[in-house]
């Protein structure tokens, strides 16, 4: 497809034998899809008096770096990437420039899959969510952190998820203390139900703490509000 594109677009600037060009071309294709989808959804909302939001849930690491973030005159984050050493969705086989979607506000919210525990050595939870919180600052894009409660059932490589009783509640508390983080999304629902219902699983006390101390106020769902109207 890449070679065919270059043949049909001789002035595109991409070279057949350039690996960097091929990566850029892949990202450009994904960017176009996200941009076109964003435009279509905003058009739909305007024409139908709706407020449907566009959100993306990418893998947790955009790009590995030193975790430092500065801002340009437009309030856009300038960064080498998060303080991590894992798979990057900017590169690898995904080639997604999710930061660009945030910078341009093509999406309404983003849910990075920040599934790791606090003690994960190459992608600690705090390192991942702190970086994302800085990236969405100054942007009209809501950040919800993905919490990997399913990790507690992994045989190996889960670190504090399989070692610490209050990992889940501590992650919720940590996110709530950052004004740029608007909430927490839990993966997976099946694992969450088990952690709520089974007293014998490690995170049971954490989910109990979340229900009794942190998430105590019921929130109306769109369906509930529609029924009321």
């Amino acid at each position: 497809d890449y070679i065919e594109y270059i043949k049909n677009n001789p002035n595109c600037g991409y070279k057949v034998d350039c690996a960097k060009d091929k990566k850029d071309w892949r990202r450009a294709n994904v960017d176009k899809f996200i941009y076109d989808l964003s435009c279509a959804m905003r058009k739909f909302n305007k024409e139908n008096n709706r407020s449907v939001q566009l959100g993306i849930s990418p893998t947790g690491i955009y790009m590995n770096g030193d975790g430092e973030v500065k801002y340009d005159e437009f309030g856009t984050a300038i960064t080498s990437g998060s303080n991590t050493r894992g798979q990057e969705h900017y590169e690898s086989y995904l080639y997604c420039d999710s930061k660009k979607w945030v910078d341009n506000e093509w999406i309404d919210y983003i849910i990075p899959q920040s599934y790791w525990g606090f003690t994960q050595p190459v992608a600690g939870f705090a390192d991942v969510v702190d970086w994302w919180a800085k990236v969405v600052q100054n942007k009209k894009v809501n950040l919800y952190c993905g919490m990997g409660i399913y990790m507690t059932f992994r045989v190996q490589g889960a670190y504090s998820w399989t070692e610490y009783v209050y990992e889940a509640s501590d992650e919720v508390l940590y996110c709530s203390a950052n004004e740029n983080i608007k909430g927490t999304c839990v993966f997976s629902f099946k694992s969450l139900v088990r952690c709520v219902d089974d007293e014998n699983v490690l995170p049971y006390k954490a989910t109990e703490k979340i229900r009794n101390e942190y998430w105590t106020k019921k929130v109306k769902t769109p369906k509930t509000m529609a029924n009321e109207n």
Side-chain angles (χ1 to χ4, degrees), residues 22-207:
K22 191 173 184 180
K23 292 176 181 180
D24 290 342
W25 175 77
R26 285 173 166 169
R27 277 186 288 267
N29 276 281
V30 181
D31 286 346
K32 185 179 186 306
F33 168 74
I34 299 299
Y35 176 75
D36 288 349
L37 178 60
S38 178
C39 291
M41 289 184 65
R42 280 158 173 70
K43 181 174 183 291
F44 170 84
N45 285 335
K46 184 176 181 180
E47 293 177 349
N48 295 276
N49 193 30
R50 296 288 299 277
S51 56
V52 181
Q53 294 192 354
L54 171 60
I56 306 288
S57 182
T59 57
I61 301 173
Y62 166 74
M63 188 184 293
N64 296 309
D66 58 15
E68 296 297 322
V69 178
K70 297 181 180 179
Y71 301 94
D72 64 14
E73 65 272 26
F74 304 106
T76 299
I78 306 300
T79 172
S80 65
S82 54
N83 182 30
T84 51
R85 300 187 302 279
Q87 181 201 16
E88 311 165 308
H89 60 252
Y90 181 83
E91 290 282 346
S92 190
Y93 61 91
L94 296 172
Y95 299 102
C96 293
D97 194 348
S98 60
K99 182 179 175 298
K100 183 177 182 178
W101 312 336
V102 172
D103 292 342
N104 292 312
E105 298 178 350
W106 292 345
I107 57 178
D108 299 297
Y109 67 87
I110 191 163
I111 312 176
Q113 297 171 27
S114 47
Y115 294 157
W116 305 280
F118 279 107
T119 62
Q120 222 286 348
V122 301
F125 180 79
D127 286 321
V128 174
V129 301
D130 284 355
W131 183 84
W132 281 106
K134 295 172 185 175
V135 167
V136 301
Q137 185 171 309
N138 307 314
K139 300 299 175 181
K140 295 179 181 178
V141 178
N142 287 332
L143 168 63
Y144 308 113
C145 291
M147 184 172 75
I149 203 166
Y150 78 99
M151 295 279 282
T152 196
F153 302 112
R154 294 186 63 173
V155 177
Q156 60 184 6
Y159 296 92
S160 45
W161 271 117
T162 55
E163 300 166 352
Y164 181 52
V165 173
Y166 291 106
E167 176 72 25
S169 54
D170 280 3
E171 289 192 8
V172 170
L173 185 62
Y174 189 85
C175 289
S176 67
N178 191 315
E179 62 180 9
N180 291 330
I181 300 175
K182 304 304 180 182
T184 302
C185 296
V186 184
F187 183 83
S188 67
F189 182 73
K190 179 180 179 180
S191 297
L192 175 61
V193 170
R194 184 177 173 186
C195 292
V196 169
D197 292 342
D198 189 350
E199 296 182 8
N200 297 312
V201 299
L202 187 67
Y204 177 79
K205 290 184 178 180
T207 57

